[in-house]
Structures are given as structure tokens and as C-alpha cells.
Amino acid sequence: MGLLEDKVVLVNGGSQGVGAGIVRAAVREGGAVVFTGRRAEVAEPLAADTGARFVRADLADPEQARESVVRAVDTHGRVDCLVNAAGLTSRGSLLDTTPELFEAHMAINLRAPFFAMQAAVADMTARKAPGTIVNILSNCAHGGPPHLAPYSAAKAGLAGLTRNAAYAHRWDRIRINGVNIGWTDTEGEDATQRAFHGAGDDWREKAAAAQPMGKLGQVDEIADFVVFLLSERSGVVTGSVIDWDQNIIGGFD
């Protein structure tokens, strides 16, 4: 049996990148998967390929974040597992971030997970059923580079929320964990490198060569780890925010 056999899994921000990898891994492991995204033209091929159900949603709207859970419950009768994988990584420093950019980061990277978790935990507690939640975070939660100030602030907030919610609902047997992913090879990262850093077609090779393990983070490896955290094989672990990277926070020469 797969790790998520007979589990209903909602992946918010699941149409591309790490989220899409998690959709594929959750389906492979037997989960009944619903995923959200903003662009149907990107999401529908994934839905057709995996059999997962796509729900169009703009998670910047907290009502749509909550509604994503309602749609999953309407489809499958419940939600057992939630993954918050949507993320905004547009650049901004402390000095040049506008209020609009700051609000956009908070809306996607912090507020959307908050209200999706609220709805999912409400469903779980109403049924008196256990559940699992995994929030996709970033090592920027530890501080981050100067050009990711609002992103780092939002991810640090989500790390705190992860621990707070895990503590609040541990006696409900709802396990909530986070994964601080590092530099990862995704379609979105390719677009970001080209748009903000003038990267050429060889940026992946150059970036990989500068990493200790000789490669960037890989979507399928992250997805497998998230599925493990969602599953009963991860045992009693809750409230953990786990660094998933090859650079050691606090280590220096």
C-alpha cells in the first residue's frame, strides 16, 4: 500500500514547481488529491496526467483559501492532509519594498496558509479525526538575503504559525510541520533568475557547480519527504520546522 492510501490530500499551490511535485508524489502513494492554482492552462495538464482534481483559486483572497478546503470536502467528504505550497518570491529589500509588495507577500506566503489551515483543522476537529499539515517554508525564515525582505518576513511568520498551530492541536492528533527548503530547481526559479538576475541558459549548471552536493534542491526529493511527513510513517513528529538544504544555518568559516 502507498503511504497515503485512503487519504484525502489538498495541495494549495499545486499546479507547478514543488507543489506539482507533491501532487504527483501524493497520487503515486495512493492519495485522493485536490490541488489549487491560478492558471488553468498550467494546472489542467497536470490534472489530466495524474487524475488529481484541479480547483482554480487565487489564494491571495482569504475566502478562496478557506474555500479550497470546502471544495476538497465537497469532492471527497473530508480533508486528511493539507499542504501549503503556494509562494510568492518577487524581490524587495527593506528600503525599496512598497506597501503593495509587502501586502502581496503576506497575502500569499502567510495569510493564505493561515486560513487554509483554519478551515482544514475545523474539518478535522468537527469529525474528531486526526490529520496532518505540511507548510512549505524557506531557509529565508532564518534571515534571508537583503533582496528578499518581505518574503523572509512572511516565511518567518509562517514558521511561527506552524509551531503555534501544532502546539494548539496536538491533543486533537493533528500533526503540523514545516519544511525550510533552500535553492530549488523549478520552473518558477528559472523565470526568477532570468527576470531579476539576468541569468542565461546555463544558470542551472553554474549554480549547481557552486553547491556542496553539486546540484540544486530537486523537486521530486522534496516531494517524497513531504509525503513522508503527511503519512503515518512519520510517527508522532509535530511542530518541527526542518531545514532542507545543503547550506548549514549558523555554520561559517
Side-chain angles (χ1 to χ4, degrees):
M1 291 181 64
L3 288 174
L4 298 178
E5 203 74 34
D6 298 324
K7 300 295 185 184
V8 177
V9 182
L10 170 62
V11 182
N12 272 334
S15 58
Q16 62 181 1
V18 171
I22 295 167
V23 168
R24 293 184 183 280
V27 169
R28 183 197 69 218
E29 294 297 329
V33 180
V34 178
F35 71 96
T36 66
R38 289 183 297 119
R39 295 187 295 153
E41 70 275 14
V42 174
E44 287 173 352
L46 177 63
D49 187 45
T50 61
R53 186 187 177 195
F54 166 60
V55 172
R56 189 170 185 173
D58 181 357
L59 298 172
D61 178 357
E63 288 302 320
Q64 293 189 48
R66 280 195 288 242
E67 182 68 16
S68 66
V69 176
V70 173
R71 296 285 295 276
V73 172
D74 287 345
T75 301
H76 295 291
R78 67 187 193 278
V79 168
D80 300 305
C81 309
L82 168 66
V83 179
N84 286 305
L88 178 68
T89 60
S90 50
R91 274 34 180 169
S93 72
L94 179 65
L95 294 180
D96 63 21
T97 294
T98 63
E100 293 77 17
L101 179 61
F102 184 87
E103 290 297 332
H105 273 276
M106 294 301 154
I108 294 294
N109 295 326
L110 181 55
R111 189 173 67 195
F114 186 103
F115 286 105
M117 289 169 65
Q118 181 186 79
V121 170
D123 173 69
M124 295 167 186
T125 55
R127 294 184 289 108
K128 293 182 171 54
T132 52
I133 297 173
V134 175
N135 293 320
I136 303 303
L137 300 158
S138 167
N139 274 348
C140 289
H142 294 293
H147 61 267
L148 285 175
Y151 177 77
S152 299
K155 289 298 188 179
L158 184 54
L161 173 62
T162 298
R163 296 185 180 98
N164 179 275
Y167 183 77
H169 294 284
R170 67 200 192 283
W171 289 105
D172 295 314
R173 293 180 296 145
I174 298 171
R175 298 189 297 109
I176 304 173
N177 296 290
V179 182
N180 279 334
I181 62 174
W183 199 2
T184 304
D185 185 359
T186 66
E187 309 99 306
E189 183 60 21
D190 180 61
T192 294
Q193 289 298 317
R194 294 174 188 275
F196 292 99
H197 303 289
D201 292 342
D202 61 346
W203 76 265
R204 285 185 174 89
E205 290 76 13
K206 290 180 177 178
Q211 303 307 306
M213 305 302 162
K215 64 179 181 178
L216 298 180
Q218 300 297 300
V219 166
D220 60 335
E221 295 170 354
I222 295 168
D224 285 348
F225 186 63
V226 170
V227 164
F228 173 76
L229 285 176
L230 291 174
S231 77
E232 294 177 3
R233 289 297 298 153
S234 55
V236 299
V237 64
T238 191
S240 291
V241 176
I242 302 160
D243 290 337
W244 177 278
D245 197 17
Q246 54 199 305
N247 294 301
I248 311 305
I249 302 301
F252 60 91
D253 294 321

